[in-house]
Amino acid sequence: MAAYPILALSNVRSVDLFGRSAGALDLQLEPGEFALIDARDLPLASGFADLCCGLHHPADGEVRFLQRDWSAQPGEMADALRGLIGRVMANPGWLRFLDATTNVLLQQIHHTRSDLEALREEAARLATHFGLPGLPNGPMAELSAGDQMRVGLVRAFVGEPKLVILESPVQGLYQDMVPALLNRLWEVRDRGGAAIWLTRSRMIWDNPLFPATHRLRLDHQGLSQLKAAA
């Protein structure tokens, strides 16, 4: 395992996201750790995820991924680093003119130099893991809402990410998917990665057995620790 944090937010302030009255954001995720964050405000949760991915730079403080300060990375390096982050977005941003397979693999194709056929095979295995008969080939618009959610999970986990960020992935609607999702998160953590699950679901948050090492709340006052790491 790596001896350094996967993700570190240090004295981060963003007036754009939180206003001037919020406290500084501090979070450190070590290899194998998993943060469950109660985040009811959807735009705020997505903005926080953007911070973690280096898509939004704070006015003060540092956000480091794999020891690299996002604000100091040239474009090519930032793209390569984002290839190591899997994300389920609240607004998945599917490109409707592309088929499902291309949508799933596009991030890895753009941000990494991974072999395309190997990515296809990995994505197909992940699709089966998440309850699909295989990796869909047709247009995204032809998939049901449930299958689009599953395809989103495939996209997040393909390429063996070092960090996975989930924006309320099951939305309280797909309880049957939680075991498969937690199983895949354990694999990321066992490889020395880390995970963040931003949730609006009481089904997830109120489960005392949910295997989080950090429980936090994200609101317009900032990020607050609610429970010590297990």
Side-chain angles (χ1 to χ4, degrees), residues 5-9 26-39 48 163 185-186 189 193-199 204-205 207-218 223-230:
I6 300 298
L7 179 72
L9 283 73
D26 290 286
L27 175 65
Q28 185 161 300
L29 284 183
E30 303 289 345
E33 291 193 323
F34 175 20
L36 179 64
I37 303 178
D38 182 13
F48 175 79
L163 174 66
L185 287 174
W186 274 117
R189 298 167 68 189
I196 296 172
W197 186 318
L198 296 145
T199 185
I204 299 299
W205 182 256
N207 184 350
L209 301 179
F210 209 79
T213 54
H214 301 268
R215 280 179 175 260
L216 308 106
R217 177 163 292 132
L218 180 72
L223 189 66
S224 53
Q225 185 90 32
L226 298 182
K227 187 177 180 181

mmCIF file of all heavy atoms in Angstrom, residues 5-9 26-39 48 163 185-186 189 193-199 204-205 207-218 223-230:
data_model
loop_
_atom_site.group_PDB
_atom_site.id
_atom_site.type_symbol
_atom_site.label_atom_id
_atom_site.label_comp_id
_atom_site.label_asym_id
_atom_site.label_seq_id
_atom_site.Cartn_x
_atom_site.Cartn_y
_atom_site.Cartn_z
ATOM 1 N N PRO A 5 -1.442 9.767 1.624
ATOM 2 C CA PRO A 5 -2.901 9.814 1.455
ATOM 3 C C PRO A 5 -3.300 9.727 -0.017
ATOM 4 O O PRO A 5 -2.592 10.214 -0.901
ATOM 5 C CB PRO A 5 -3.274 11.180 2.044
ATOM 6 C CG PRO A 5 -2.134 11.568 2.913
ATOM 7 C CD PRO A 5 -0.913 10.963 2.289
ATOM 8 N N ILE A 6 -4.451 9.126 -0.258
ATOM 9 C CA ILE A 6 -5.008 9.125 -1.602
ATOM 10 C C ILE A 6 -5.543 10.516 -1.936
ATOM 11 O O ILE A 6 -5.327 11.040 -3.030
ATOM 12 C CB ILE A 6 -6.137 8.084 -1.712
ATOM 13 C CG1 ILE A 6 -5.613 6.667 -1.413
ATOM 14 C CG2 ILE A 6 -6.771 8.135 -3.104
ATOM 15 C CD1 ILE A 6 -4.564 6.174 -2.367
ATOM 16 N N LEU A 7 -6.228 11.121 -0.980
ATOM 17 C CA LEU A 7 -6.821 12.443 -1.179
ATOM 18 C C LEU A 7 -6.642 13.256 0.089
ATOM 19 O O LEU A 7 -6.848 12.736 1.197
ATOM 20 C CB LEU A 7 -8.311 12.304 -1.500
ATOM 21 C CG LEU A 7 -9.094 13.605 -1.715
ATOM 22 C CD1 LEU A 7 -8.710 14.259 -3.044
ATOM 23 C CD2 LEU A 7 -10.600 13.344 -1.681
ATOM 24 N N ALA A 8 -6.284 14.519 -0.058
ATOM 25 C CA ALA A 8 -6.124 15.394 1.103
ATOM 26 C C ALA A 8 -6.640 16.787 0.772
ATOM 27 O O ALA A 8 -6.154 17.421 -0.169
ATOM 28 C CB ALA A 8 -4.671 15.455 1.549
ATOM 29 N N LEU A 9 -7.644 17.235 1.520
ATOM 30 C CA LEU A 9 -8.117 18.605 1.450
ATOM 31 C C LEU A 9 -7.605 19.309 2.703
ATOM 32 O O LEU A 9 -7.889 18.866 3.825
ATOM 33 C CB LEU A 9 -9.648 18.683 1.418
ATOM 34 C CG LEU A 9 -10.348 18.353 0.092
ATOM 35 C CD1 LEU A 9 -10.296 16.868 -0.206
ATOM 36 C CD2 LEU A 9 -11.792 18.831 0.130
ATOM 37 N N ASP A 26 -11.460 20.242 5.640
ATOM 38 C CA ASP A 26 -10.282 19.402 5.874
ATOM 39 C C ASP A 26 -10.709 17.942 5.822
ATOM 40 O O ASP A 26 -11.665 17.538 6.504
ATOM 41 C CB ASP A 26 -9.658 19.716 7.234
ATOM 42 C CG ASP A 26 -8.985 21.077 7.271
ATOM 43 O OD1 ASP A 26 -7.901 21.216 6.686
ATOM 44 O OD2 ASP A 26 -9.573 22.001 7.864
ATOM 45 N N LEU A 27 -10.023 17.169 5.009
ATOM 46 C CA LEU A 27 -10.309 15.743 4.895
ATOM 47 C C LEU A 27 -9.063 15.052 4.398
ATOM 48 O O LEU A 27 -8.405 15.526 3.465
ATOM 49 C CB LEU A 27 -11.461 15.499 3.911
ATOM 50 C CG LEU A 27 -11.785 14.029 3.598
ATOM 51 C CD1 LEU A 27 -12.283 13.299 4.836
ATOM 52 C CD2 LEU A 27 -12.794 13.939 2.457
ATOM 53 N N GLN A 28 -8.733 13.931 5.019
ATOM 54 C CA GLN A 28 -7.608 13.125 4.558
ATOM 55 C C GLN A 28 -8.054 11.677 4.466
ATOM 56 O O GLN A 28 -8.521 11.111 5.449
ATOM 57 C CB GLN A 28 -6.413 13.257 5.502
ATOM 58 C CG GLN A 28 -5.170 12.530 5.005
ATOM 59 C CD GLN A 28 -3.907 13.029 5.667
ATOM 60 O OE1 GLN A 28 -3.548 14.195 5.571
ATOM 61 N NE2 GLN A 28 -3.214 12.134 6.363
ATOM 62 N N LEU A 29 -7.936 11.112 3.270
ATOM 63 C CA LEU A 29 -8.284 9.714 3.046
ATOM 64 C C LEU A 29 -7.018 8.923 2.774
ATOM 65 O O LEU A 29 -6.326 9.149 1.776
ATOM 66 C CB LEU A 29 -9.238 9.577 1.859
ATOM 67 C CG LEU A 29 -10.701 9.953 2.075
ATOM 68 C CD1 LEU A 29 -11.495 9.670 0.796
ATOM 69 C CD2 LEU A 29 -11.306 9.207 3.244
ATOM 70 N N GLU A 30 -6.740 7.993 3.654
ATOM 71 C CA GLU A 30 -5.589 7.112 3.504
ATOM 72 C C GLU A 30 -5.978 5.903 2.648
ATOM 73 O O GLU A 30 -7.156 5.618 2.438
ATOM 74 C CB GLU A 30 -5.113 6.643 4.885
ATOM 75 C CG GLU A 30 -4.751 7.755 5.848
ATOM 76 C CD GLU A 30 -3.463 8.468 5.481
ATOM 77 O OE1 GLU A 30 -2.704 7.913 4.636
ATOM 78 O OE2 GLU A 30 -3.215 9.557 6.016
ATOM 79 N N PRO A 31 -4.992 5.171 2.143
ATOM 80 C CA PRO A 31 -5.293 3.942 1.412
ATOM 81 C C PRO A 31 -6.193 3.014 2.225
ATOM 82 O O PRO A 31 -5.956 2.782 3.411
ATOM 83 C CB PRO A 31 -3.911 3.319 1.192
ATOM 84 C CG PRO A 31 -2.979 4.486 1.183
ATOM 85 C CD PRO A 31 -3.531 5.441 2.188
ATOM 86 N N GLY A 32 -7.243 2.527 1.604
ATOM 87 C CA GLY A 32 -8.176 1.614 2.253
ATOM 88 C C GLY A 32 -9.317 2.291 2.978
ATOM 89 O O GLY A 32 -10.220 1.611 3.466
ATOM 90 N N GLU A 33 -9.340 3.616 3.033
ATOM 91 C CA GLU A 33 -10.392 4.297 3.786
ATOM 92 C C GLU A 33 -11.603 4.618 2.911
ATOM 93 O O GLU A 33 -11.520 4.697 1.687
ATOM 94 C CB GLU A 33 -9.850 5.575 4.433
ATOM 95 C CG GLU A 33 -8.870 5.271 5.562
ATOM 96 C CD GLU A 33 -8.559 6.485 6.417
ATOM 97 O OE1 GLU A 33 -8.471 7.604 5.862
ATOM 98 O OE2 GLU A 33 -8.392 6.306 7.631
ATOM 99 N N PHE A 34 -12.725 4.831 3.593
ATOM 100 C CA PHE A 34 -14.021 4.985 2.939
ATOM 101 C C PHE A 34 -14.818 6.028 3.711
ATOM 102 O O PHE A 34 -15.157 5.812 4.878
ATOM 103 C CB PHE A 34 -14.728 3.625 2.928
ATOM 104 C CG PHE A 34 -16.131 3.615 2.389
ATOM 105 C CD1 PHE A 34 -16.616 4.622 1.577
ATOM 106 C CD2 PHE A 34 -16.965 2.553 2.701
ATOM 107 C CE1 PHE A 34 -17.909 4.593 1.086
ATOM 108 C CE2 PHE A 34 -18.264 2.502 2.217
ATOM 109 C CZ PHE A 34 -18.732 3.519 1.405
ATOM 110 N N ALA A 35 -15.110 7.163 3.079
ATOM 111 C CA ALA A 35 -15.865 8.241 3.717
ATOM 112 C C ALA A 35 -17.309 8.220 3.236
ATOM 113 O O ALA A 35 -17.582 8.281 2.036
ATOM 114 C CB ALA A 35 -15.229 9.593 3.402
ATOM 115 N N LEU A 36 -18.236 8.125 4.178
ATOM 116 C CA LEU A 36 -19.661 8.248 3.897
ATOM 117 C C LEU A 36 -20.070 9.654 4.319
ATOM 118 O O LEU A 36 -19.882 10.049 5.475
ATOM 119 C CB LEU A 36 -20.464 7.209 4.674
ATOM 120 C CG LEU A 36 -21.986 7.255 4.473
ATOM 121 C CD1 LEU A 36 -22.347 6.936 3.024
ATOM 122 C CD2 LEU A 36 -22.679 6.277 5.423
ATOM 123 N N ILE A 37 -20.619 10.432 3.385
ATOM 124 C CA ILE A 37 -20.910 11.840 3.625
ATOM 125 C C ILE A 37 -22.394 12.107 3.415
ATOM 126 O O ILE A 37 -22.933 11.854 2.328
ATOM 127 C CB ILE A 37 -20.071 12.753 2.709
ATOM 128 C CG1 ILE A 37 -18.570 12.482 2.916
ATOM 129 C CG2 ILE A 37 -20.391 14.214 2.977
ATOM 130 C CD1 ILE A 37 -17.669 13.308 2.007
ATOM 131 N N ASP A 38 -23.043 12.587 4.459
ATOM 132 C CA ASP A 38 -24.439 13.001 4.380
ATOM 133 C C ASP A 38 -24.473 14.342 3.639
ATOM 134 O O ASP A 38 -24.032 15.362 4.171
ATOM 135 C CB ASP A 38 -24.991 13.142 5.805
ATOM 136 C CG ASP A 38 -26.459 13.515 5.828
ATOM 137 O OD1 ASP A 38 -27.116 13.425 4.776
ATOM 138 O OD2 ASP A 38 -26.957 13.908 6.900
ATOM 139 N N ALA A 39 -24.967 14.334 2.412
ATOM 140 C CA ALA A 39 -24.925 15.524 1.556
ATOM 141 C C ALA A 39 -26.292 15.682 0.894
ATOM 142 O O ALA A 39 -26.557 15.095 -0.158
ATOM 143 C CB ALA A 39 -23.818 15.389 0.513
ATOM 144 N N PHE A 48 -18.478 19.679 -4.452
ATOM 145 C CA PHE A 48 -17.442 19.066 -3.615
ATOM 146 C C PHE A 48 -16.707 17.972 -4.401
ATOM 147 O O PHE A 48 -15.469 17.879 -4.338
ATOM 148 C CB PHE A 48 -18.073 18.487 -2.354
ATOM 149 C CG PHE A 48 -17.121 17.743 -1.484
ATOM 150 C CD1 PHE A 48 -16.244 18.415 -0.644
ATOM 151 C CD2 PHE A 48 -17.085 16.350 -1.492
ATOM 152 C CE1 PHE A 48 -15.344 17.723 0.163
ATOM 153 C CE2 PHE A 48 -16.199 15.649 -0.692
ATOM 154 C CZ PHE A 48 -15.336 16.340 0.144
ATOM 155 N N LEU A 163 -9.252 6.173 -6.628
ATOM 156 C CA LEU A 163 -10.273 6.863 -5.845
ATOM 157 C C LEU A 163 -11.597 6.724 -6.573
ATOM 158 O O LEU A 163 -11.668 6.914 -7.790
ATOM 159 C CB LEU A 163 -9.925 8.348 -5.688
ATOM 160 C CG LEU A 163 -10.969 9.240 -5.002
ATOM 161 C CD1 LEU A 163 -11.136 8.856 -3.538
ATOM 162 C CD2 LEU A 163 -10.599 10.720 -5.132
ATOM 163 N N LEU A 185 -16.385 -1.776 -3.919
ATOM 164 C CA LEU A 185 -15.636 -0.794 -3.136
ATOM 165 C C LEU A 185 -14.582 -1.465 -2.271
ATOM 166 O O LEU A 185 -13.477 -0.937 -2.097
ATOM 167 C CB LEU A 185 -16.586 0.025 -2.259
ATOM 168 C CG LEU A 185 -17.453 1.051 -2.985
ATOM 169 C CD1 LEU A 185 -18.440 1.686 -2.008
ATOM 170 C CD2 LEU A 185 -16.605 2.131 -3.645
ATOM 171 N N TRP A 186 -14.900 -2.639 -1.708
ATOM 172 C CA TRP A 186 -13.900 -3.369 -0.926
ATOM 173 C C TRP A 186 -12.700 -3.723 -1.793
ATOM 174 O O TRP A 186 -11.556 -3.675 -1.341
ATOM 175 C CB TRP A 186 -14.514 -4.640 -0.332
ATOM 176 C CG TRP A 186 -15.212 -4.442 0.973
ATOM 177 C CD1 TRP A 186 -16.529 -4.624 1.248
ATOM 178 C CD2 TRP A 186 -14.619 -4.017 2.211
ATOM 179 N NE1 TRP A 186 -16.800 -4.328 2.562
ATOM 180 C CE2 TRP A 186 -15.647 -3.962 3.183
ATOM 181 C CE3 TRP A 186 -13.312 -3.683 2.593
ATOM 182 C CZ2 TRP A 186 -15.411 -3.588 4.507
ATOM 183 C CZ3 TRP A 186 -13.068 -3.299 3.912
ATOM 184 C CH2 TRP A 186 -14.112 -3.262 4.847
ATOM 185 N N ARG A 189 -10.531 -0.725 -2.143
ATOM 186 C CA ARG A 189 -9.825 -0.466 -0.887
ATOM 187 C C ARG A 189 -8.721 -1.495 -0.650
ATOM 188 O O ARG A 189 -7.633 -1.159 -0.176
ATOM 189 C CB ARG A 189 -10.820 -0.465 0.265
ATOM 190 C CG ARG A 189 -11.869 0.647 0.132
ATOM 191 C CD ARG A 189 -13.024 0.468 1.083
ATOM 192 N NE ARG A 189 -12.593 0.658 2.464
ATOM 193 C CZ ARG A 189 -13.362 0.392 3.511
ATOM 194 N NH1 ARG A 189 -14.593 -0.100 3.351
ATOM 195 N NH2 ARG A 189 -12.910 0.599 4.731
ATOM 196 N N GLY A 193 -6.719 1.705 -2.672
ATOM 197 C CA GLY A 193 -7.453 2.897 -3.057
ATOM 198 C C GLY A 193 -8.352 3.383 -1.929
ATOM 199 O O GLY A 193 -8.309 2.887 -0.806
ATOM 200 N N ALA A 194 -9.172 4.374 -2.235
ATOM 201 C CA ALA A 194 -10.084 4.951 -1.252
ATOM 202 C C ALA A 194 -11.394 5.305 -1.946
ATOM 203 O O ALA A 194 -11.478 5.307 -3.184
ATOM 204 C CB ALA A 194 -9.466 6.185 -0.601
ATOM 205 N N ALA A 195 -12.413 5.604 -1.146
ATOM 206 C CA ALA A 195 -13.734 5.874 -1.712
ATOM 207 C C ALA A 195 -14.467 6.938 -0.914
ATOM 208 O O ALA A 195 -14.272 7.068 0.305
ATOM 209 C CB ALA A 195 -14.566 4.592 -1.765
ATOM 210 N N ILE A 196 -15.313 7.682 -1.619
ATOM 211 C CA ILE A 196 -16.222 8.657 -1.025
ATOM 212 C C ILE A 196 -17.624 8.353 -1.541
ATOM 213 O O ILE A 196 -17.831 8.234 -2.754
ATOM 214 C CB ILE A 196 -15.845 10.105 -1.402
ATOM 215 C CG1 ILE A 196 -14.478 10.475 -0.834
ATOM 216 C CG2 ILE A 196 -16.907 11.099 -0.925
ATOM 217 C CD1 ILE A 196 -13.966 11.832 -1.331
ATOM 218 N N TRP A 197 -18.583 8.223 -0.613
ATOM 219 C CA TRP A 197 -19.981 8.008 -0.977
ATOM 220 C C TRP A 197 -20.768 9.188 -0.426
ATOM 221 O O TRP A 197 -20.948 9.333 0.778
ATOM 222 C CB TRP A 197 -20.472 6.693 -0.391
ATOM 223 C CG TRP A 197 -21.850 6.259 -0.801
ATOM 224 C CD1 TRP A 197 -22.975 7.022 -0.917
ATOM 225 C CD2 TRP A 197 -22.265 4.923 -1.125
ATOM 226 N NE1 TRP A 197 -24.052 6.271 -1.294
ATOM 227 C CE2 TRP A 197 -23.643 4.974 -1.431
ATOM 228 C CE3 TRP A 197 -21.589 3.691 -1.179
ATOM 229 C CZ2 TRP A 197 -24.375 3.830 -1.782
ATOM 230 C CZ3 TRP A 197 -22.321 2.569 -1.528
ATOM 231 C CH2 TRP A 197 -23.693 2.626 -1.827
ATOM 232 N N LEU A 198 -21.224 10.067 -1.317
ATOM 233 C CA LEU A 198 -22.080 11.194 -0.956
ATOM 234 C C LEU A 198 -23.529 10.720 -1.071
ATOM 235 O O LEU A 198 -23.946 10.252 -2.141
ATOM 236 C CB LEU A 198 -21.833 12.371 -1.891
ATOM 237 C CG LEU A 198 -20.428 12.974 -1.829
ATOM 238 C CD1 LEU A 198 -19.985 13.460 -3.202
ATOM 239 C CD2 LEU A 198 -20.375 14.116 -0.829
ATOM 240 N N THR A 199 -24.294 10.824 0.005
ATOM 241 C CA THR A 199 -25.624 10.237 -0.024
ATOM 242 C C THR A 199 -26.708 11.210 0.413
ATOM 243 O O THR A 199 -26.497 12.067 1.272
ATOM 244 C CB THR A 199 -25.682 8.971 0.859
ATOM 245 O OG1 THR A 199 -26.960 8.354 0.714
ATOM 246 C CG2 THR A 199 -25.447 9.297 2.333
ATOM 247 N N ILE A 204 -29.240 4.449 3.300
ATOM 248 C CA ILE A 204 -27.789 4.279 3.406
ATOM 249 C C ILE A 204 -27.271 4.889 4.701
ATOM 250 O O ILE A 204 -26.560 4.239 5.481
ATOM 251 C CB ILE A 204 -27.086 4.915 2.200
ATOM 252 C CG1 ILE A 204 -27.533 4.254 0.886
ATOM 253 C CG2 ILE A 204 -25.570 4.854 2.352
ATOM 254 C CD1 ILE A 204 -27.221 2.781 0.792
ATOM 255 N N TRP A 205 -27.618 6.129 4.969
ATOM 256 C CA TRP A 205 -27.047 6.852 6.099
ATOM 257 C C TRP A 205 -27.418 6.215 7.438
ATOM 258 O O TRP A 205 -26.602 6.173 8.366
ATOM 259 C CB TRP A 205 -27.477 8.316 6.062
ATOM 260 C CG TRP A 205 -26.885 9.125 7.170
ATOM 261 C CD1 TRP A 205 -27.504 9.569 8.309
ATOM 262 C CD2 TRP A 205 -25.512 9.536 7.287
ATOM 263 N NE1 TRP A 205 -26.610 10.239 9.105
ATOM 264 C CE2 TRP A 205 -25.385 10.231 8.504
ATOM 265 C CE3 TRP A 205 -24.388 9.383 6.466
ATOM 266 C CZ2 TRP A 205 -24.182 10.782 8.926
ATOM 267 C CZ3 TRP A 205 -23.196 9.935 6.890
ATOM 268 C CH2 TRP A 205 -23.092 10.623 8.103
ATOM 269 N N ASN A 207 -27.979 3.162 8.202
ATOM 270 C CA ASN A 207 -27.524 1.780 8.387
ATOM 271 C C ASN A 207 -26.243 1.779 9.221
ATOM 272 O O ASN A 207 -25.175 2.159 8.726
ATOM 273 C CB ASN A 207 -27.273 1.133 7.030
ATOM 274 C CG ASN A 207 -26.895 -0.341 7.153
ATOM 275 O OD1 ASN A 207 -26.632 -0.844 8.250
ATOM 276 N ND2 ASN A 207 -26.867 -1.028 6.038
ATOM 277 N N PRO A 208 -26.316 1.358 10.496
ATOM 278 C CA PRO A 208 -25.128 1.420 11.355
ATOM 279 C C PRO A 208 -24.033 0.443 10.935
ATOM 280 O O PRO A 208 -22.891 0.566 11.379
ATOM 281 C CB PRO A 208 -25.685 1.067 12.738
ATOM 282 C CG PRO A 208 -26.880 0.213 12.463
ATOM 283 C CD PRO A 208 -27.479 0.765 11.192
ATOM 284 N N LEU A 209 -24.360 -0.520 10.093
ATOM 285 C CA LEU A 209 -23.380 -1.520 9.658
ATOM 286 C C LEU A 209 -22.666 -1.115 8.376
ATOM 287 O O LEU A 209 -21.803 -1.852 7.895
ATOM 288 C CB LEU A 209 -24.079 -2.875 9.464
ATOM 289 C CG LEU A 209 -24.773 -3.455 10.699
ATOM 290 C CD1 LEU A 209 -25.435 -4.780 10.367
ATOM 291 C CD2 LEU A 209 -23.799 -3.617 11.853
ATOM 292 N N PHE A 210 -23.017 0.047 7.828
ATOM 293 C CA PHE A 210 -22.377 0.494 6.599
ATOM 294 C C PHE A 210 -20.883 0.674 6.871
ATOM 295 O O PHE A 210 -20.500 1.376 7.814
ATOM 296 C CB PHE A 210 -22.998 1.805 6.131
ATOM 297 C CG PHE A 210 -22.949 2.002 4.647
ATOM 298 C CD1 PHE A 210 -23.865 1.367 3.825
ATOM 299 C CD2 PHE A 210 -21.990 2.806 4.073
ATOM 300 C CE1 PHE A 210 -23.835 1.548 2.447
ATOM 301 C CE2 PHE A 210 -21.937 2.986 2.700
ATOM 302 C CZ PHE A 210 -22.866 2.356 1.885
ATOM 303 N N PRO A 211 -20.011 0.046 6.068
ATOM 304 C CA PRO A 211 -18.580 -0.070 6.425
ATOM 305 C C PRO A 211 -17.755 1.182 6.124
ATOM 306 O O PRO A 211 -16.749 1.122 5.415
ATOM 307 C CB PRO A 211 -18.127 -1.253 5.586
ATOM 308 C CG PRO A 211 -18.965 -1.170 4.353
ATOM 309 C CD PRO A 211 -20.312 -0.678 4.823
ATOM 310 N N ALA A 212 -18.149 2.319 6.677
ATOM 311 C CA ALA A 212 -17.404 3.552 6.455
ATOM 312 C C ALA A 212 -16.378 3.752 7.560
ATOM 313 O O ALA A 212 -16.646 3.468 8.732
ATOM 314 C CB ALA A 212 -18.363 4.739 6.418
ATOM 315 N N THR A 213 -15.210 4.254 7.195
ATOM 316 C CA THR A 213 -14.202 4.604 8.202
ATOM 317 C C THR A 213 -14.341 6.058 8.649
ATOM 318 O O THR A 213 -13.785 6.446 9.666
ATOM 319 C CB THR A 213 -12.779 4.371 7.650
ATOM 320 O OG1 THR A 213 -12.628 5.084 6.416
ATOM 321 C CG2 THR A 213 -12.538 2.889 7.406
ATOM 322 N N HIS A 214 -15.056 6.867 7.858
ATOM 323 C CA HIS A 214 -15.374 8.251 8.227
ATOM 324 C C HIS A 214 -16.852 8.479 7.956
ATOM 325 O O HIS A 214 -17.358 8.072 6.904
ATOM 326 C CB HIS A 214 -14.584 9.263 7.385
ATOM 327 C CG HIS A 214 -13.108 9.159 7.484
ATOM 328 N ND1 HIS A 214 -12.360 9.866 8.394
ATOM 329 C CD2 HIS A 214 -12.216 8.421 6.768
ATOM 330 C CE1 HIS A 214 -11.085 9.581 8.243
ATOM 331 N NE2 HIS A 214 -10.964 8.701 7.256
ATOM 332 N N ARG A 215 -17.524 9.137 8.877
ATOM 333 C CA ARG A 215 -18.891 9.613 8.637
ATOM 334 C C ARG A 215 -18.887 11.124 8.821
ATOM 335 O O ARG A 215 -18.508 11.620 9.882
ATOM 336 C CB ARG A 215 -19.888 8.954 9.598
ATOM 337 C CG ARG A 215 -20.291 7.541 9.184
ATOM 338 C CD ARG A 215 -21.269 6.931 10.188
ATOM 339 N NE ARG A 215 -21.733 5.638 9.732
ATOM 340 C CZ ARG A 215 -22.910 5.422 9.144
ATOM 341 N NH1 ARG A 215 -23.747 6.444 8.974
ATOM 342 N NH2 ARG A 215 -23.255 4.221 8.737
ATOM 343 N N LEU A 216 -19.321 11.829 7.771
ATOM 344 C CA LEU A 216 -19.254 13.280 7.785
ATOM 345 C C LEU A 216 -20.545 13.870 7.249
ATOM 346 O O LEU A 216 -21.364 13.179 6.634
ATOM 347 C CB LEU A 216 -18.072 13.771 6.939
ATOM 348 C CG LEU A 216 -16.696 13.166 7.233
ATOM 349 C CD1 LEU A 216 -16.304 12.187 6.136
ATOM 350 C CD2 LEU A 216 -15.648 14.255 7.351
ATOM 351 N N ARG A 217 -20.712 15.166 7.482
ATOM 352 C CA ARG A 217 -21.846 15.889 6.906
ATOM 353 C C ARG A 217 -21.323 17.058 6.086
ATOM 354 O O ARG A 217 -20.431 17.787 6.525
ATOM 355 C CB ARG A 217 -22.790 16.392 7.996
ATOM 356 C CG ARG A 217 -23.961 17.237 7.451
ATOM 357 C CD ARG A 217 -25.075 17.377 8.465
ATOM 358 N NE ARG A 217 -25.720 16.095 8.680
ATOM 359 C CZ ARG A 217 -25.980 15.579 9.893
ATOM 360 N NH1 ARG A 217 -25.643 16.236 10.992
ATOM 361 N NH2 ARG A 217 -26.576 14.408 9.999
ATOM 362 N N LEU A 218 -21.881 17.215 4.897
ATOM 363 C CA LEU A 218 -21.546 18.326 4.013
ATOM 364 C C LEU A 218 -22.764 19.223 3.884
ATOM 365 O O LEU A 218 -23.838 18.777 3.462
ATOM 366 C CB LEU A 218 -21.135 17.798 2.640
ATOM 367 C CG LEU A 218 -20.762 18.844 1.590
ATOM 368 C CD1 LEU A 218 -19.422 19.480 1.923
ATOM 369 C CD2 LEU A 218 -20.710 18.203 0.195
ATOM 370 N N LEU A 223 -17.700 21.008 5.966
ATOM 371 C CA LEU A 223 -17.612 19.558 6.143
ATOM 372 C C LEU A 223 -17.314 19.275 7.603
ATOM 373 O O LEU A 223 -16.327 19.758 8.153
ATOM 374 C CB LEU A 223 -16.488 18.999 5.259
ATOM 375 C CG LEU A 223 -16.350 17.492 5.123
ATOM 376 C CD1 LEU A 223 -17.552 16.891 4.408
ATOM 377 C CD2 LEU A 223 -15.069 17.148 4.349
ATOM 378 N N SER A 224 -18.189 18.478 8.237
ATOM 379 C CA SER A 224 -18.004 18.213 9.671
ATOM 380 C C SER A 224 -17.952 16.709 9.924
ATOM 381 O O SER A 224 -18.695 15.927 9.319
ATOM 382 C CB SER A 224 -19.137 18.824 10.494
ATOM 383 O OG SER A 224 -20.395 18.420 10.023
ATOM 384 N N GLN A 225 -17.038 16.304 10.800
ATOM 385 C CA GLN A 225 -16.879 14.908 11.184
ATOM 386 C C GLN A 225 -17.966 14.557 12.191
ATOM 387 O O GLN A 225 -18.124 15.241 13.205
ATOM 388 C CB GLN A 225 -15.495 14.678 11.800
ATOM 389 C CG GLN A 225 -15.184 13.235 12.120
ATOM 390 C CD GLN A 225 -14.528 12.490 10.964
ATOM 391 O OE1 GLN A 225 -13.803 13.059 10.179
ATOM 392 N NE2 GLN A 225 -14.780 11.204 10.868
ATOM 393 N N LEU A 226 -18.702 13.478 11.935
ATOM 394 C CA LEU A 226 -19.786 13.082 12.837
ATOM 395 C C LEU A 226 -19.427 11.878 13.679
ATOM 396 O O LEU A 226 -19.997 11.661 14.729
ATOM 397 C CB LEU A 226 -21.059 12.777 12.039
ATOM 398 C CG LEU A 226 -21.628 13.940 11.245
ATOM 399 C CD1 LEU A 226 -22.915 13.516 10.550
ATOM 400 C CD2 LEU A 226 -21.890 15.134 12.137
ATOM 401 N N LYS A 227 -18.491 11.089 13.203
ATOM 402 C CA LYS A 227 -18.136 9.867 13.925
ATOM 403 C C LYS A 227 -16.689 9.558 13.656
ATOM 404 O O LYS A 227 -16.225 9.655 12.523
ATOM 405 C CB LYS A 227 -19.025 8.696 13.486
ATOM 406 C CG LYS A 227 -18.834 7.428 14.294
ATOM 407 C CD LYS A 227 -19.810 6.355 13.819
ATOM 408 C CE LYS A 227 -19.643 5.064 14.610
ATOM 409 N NZ LYS A 227 -20.567 4.014 14.148
ATOM 410 N N ALA A 228 -15.962 9.196 14.717
ATOM 411 C CA ALA A 228 -14.553 8.846 14.536
ATOM 412 C C ALA A 228 -14.412 7.640 13.635
ATOM 413 O O ALA A 228 -15.311 6.808 13.515
ATOM 414 C CB ALA A 228 -13.911 8.561 15.897
ATOM 415 N N ALA A 229 -13.276 7.528 12.980
ATOM 416 C CA ALA A 229 -13.014 6.403 12.094
ATOM 417 C C ALA A 229 -13.099 5.106 12.869
ATOM 418 O O ALA A 229 -12.689 4.995 14.013
ATOM 419 C CB ALA A 229 -11.621 6.535 11.473
ATOM 420 N N ALA A 230 -13.675 4.073 12.208
ATOM 421 C CA ALA A 230 -13.818 2.761 12.836
ATOM 422 C C ALA A 230 -12.472 2.050 12.917
ATOM 423 O O ALA A 230 -11.595 2.302 12.130
ATOM 424 C CB ALA A 230 -14.823 1.929 12.050
#
